[in-house]
Amino acid sequence: MKKYIIYNLLGLFLLLFTFTACEFETAEQDPSDIISPNNKPTVTVTSNASGTINEGETVIYTITFDKPIERSVTFTPIISGSSDDHDYLIEAVSVAPYTTSVQLPIEVFEDYEIEGQETLSVQLEISSIAEKNLVHPDTAFAPIDLTINDYVDDNKLVINFSWAEDIDFDILVFSDTAAYPATLWGTGGATGANPEIDTSIWLDDPAGDYYVCILDWWEGINFDYTFDLAFPDGSVQTITGTFDGTNYPYTSFTGPSSWGSPSAYKVLKVVVNGTNFVVTKL
């Protein structure tokens, strides 16, 4: 019986010695290298634009890695601030595997509403946590700040007609030239919008006089109006006044018969000479 106890003790000592040796050997091994963030690409965003864009133009931003990687990284633009309601196109883009750059276009669509300079701010983000871990941890994106100028048409007089009352008013344009005397010229300002917008008078139209007329559907109504006029050189003229719907101290044209032949009262005179427009309040 004593022999068996000795044998068992020897076996236990041998087992303990084996475990100790294994632990000692493991402790002597070098640990695996920790992945350095310096092995991950740094990201820069550049553009040749000045930060100011006109409606109807596209500005290009370039996202660049300083080294390629084997996976794609997607950059999502977030609108962080806007002082307008412009239509614009901006979509997420990805740097493809084994490449180092991608272009991010921002397209601002034109309209004829005269609003003055406005702003658009865009913040780039890497939404995926897994993809965010693929780039250098110090990566940060400055906001993309754009100033947006009104669209400039190099051939048209852009007319915006607005008012404060919750009533629908319209404008019509008539020509009074040698080629087209007392002719209905434009009905673009007769919709349900406010401002009403008309672009029917062009620099290459026949020289002569054109009249912007308020079409008054509400007899006996007096209201304040504003005309904002954008010229081909980019300048803007603002004309304000009060429409007297009680006495109608205006010369008038007869509107379209299909509309019931309403009276269209002359408010602005536009002289076209092929080179520029001269607008005066009547």
Side-chain angles (χ1 to χ4, degrees):
M1 186 68 167
K2 190 182 294 186
K3 273 198 288 186
Y4 292 127
I5 293 174
I6 293 173
Y7 291 150
N8 288 337
L9 289 174
L10 289 174
L12 179 60
F13 290 147
L14 180 61
L15 184 61
L16 289 173
F17 177 77
T18 302
F19 283 148
T20 302
C22 289
E23 289 177 2
F24 179 77
E25 182 179 353
T26 302
E28 290 293 322
Q29 293 177 351
D30 293 330
S32 299
D33 290 337
I34 299 174
I35 298 176
S36 170
N38 294 326
N39 294 327
K40 299 180 179 182
T42 59
V43 186
T44 56
V45 180
T46 58
S47 175
N48 58 2
S50 64
T52 299
I53 185 174
N54 296 324
E55 291 180 9
E57 296 180 346
T58 299
V59 60
I60 304 293
Y61 289 84
T62 302
I63 302 170
T64 304
F65 286 2
D66 68 340
K67 66 187 69 175
I69 57 176
E70 61 184 10
R71 291 179 57 187
S72 67
V73 178
T74 298
F75 297 84
T76 302
I78 306 296
I79 305 302
S80 56
S82 177
S83 65
D84 59 31
D85 57 358
H86 282 299
D87 290 329
Y88 44 78
L89 178 62
I90 177 171
E91 299 178 322
V93 295
S94 298
V95 175
Y98 305 106
T99 65
T100 56
S101 67
V102 67
Q103 289 189 333
L104 173 74
I106 301 177
E107 180 180 4
V108 180
F109 300 112
E110 74 267 20
D111 60 36
Y112 285 111
E113 190 167 350
I114 302 168
E115 300 162 304
Q117 278 194 339
E118 298 184 290
T119 59
L120 175 66
S121 294
V122 179
Q123 183 64 57
L124 282 180
E125 294 184 359
I126 303 174
S127 302
S128 167
I129 295 177
E131 292 182 9
K132 190 177 296 185
N133 288 331
L134 296 175
V135 301
H136 197 282
D138 292 340
T139 297
F141 304 110
I144 295 173
D145 294 320
L146 290 176
T147 299
I148 302 172
N149 293 322
D150 285 325
Y151 175 66
V152 176
D153 193 305
D154 61 6
N155 190 43
K156 299 177 183 178
L157 176 65
V158 178
I159 303 171
N160 281 204
F161 164 59
S162 59
W163 60 96
E165 286 75 7
D166 189 18
I167 300 175
D168 181 32
F169 296 103
D170 301 304
I171 56 172
L172 300 177
V173 174
F174 285 81
S175 70
D176 193 13
T177 68
Y180 297 98
T183 302
L184 179 61
W185 197 254
T187 61
T191 69
N194 184 359
E196 291 285 6
I197 298 174
D198 183 89
T199 58
S200 62
I201 306 176
W202 298 12
L203 279 178
D204 51 12
D205 283 337
D209 299 338
Y210 295 77
Y211 292 96
V212 180
C213 306
I214 290 179
L215 187 62
D216 183 14
W217 299 103
W218 305 90
E219 294 186 7
I221 297 293
N222 296 344
F223 68 93
D224 296 331
Y225 62 78
T226 298
F227 282 97
D228 291 306
L229 306 121
F231 294 82
D233 64 0
S235 63
V236 174
Q237 178 181 1
T238 298
I239 297 174
T240 60
T242 300
F243 182 81
D244 187 347
T246 303
N247 298 315
Y248 296 106
Y250 317 98
T251 303
S252 65
F253 286 104
T254 300
S257 58
S258 59
W259 298 0
S261 302
S263 294
Y265 299 95
K266 292 181 181 179
V267 179
L268 302 181
K269 178 182 178 180
V270 180
V271 178
V272 178
N273 60 20
T275 303
N276 57 28
F277 305 109
V278 178
V279 183
T280 55
K281 177 181 174 181
L282 297 175

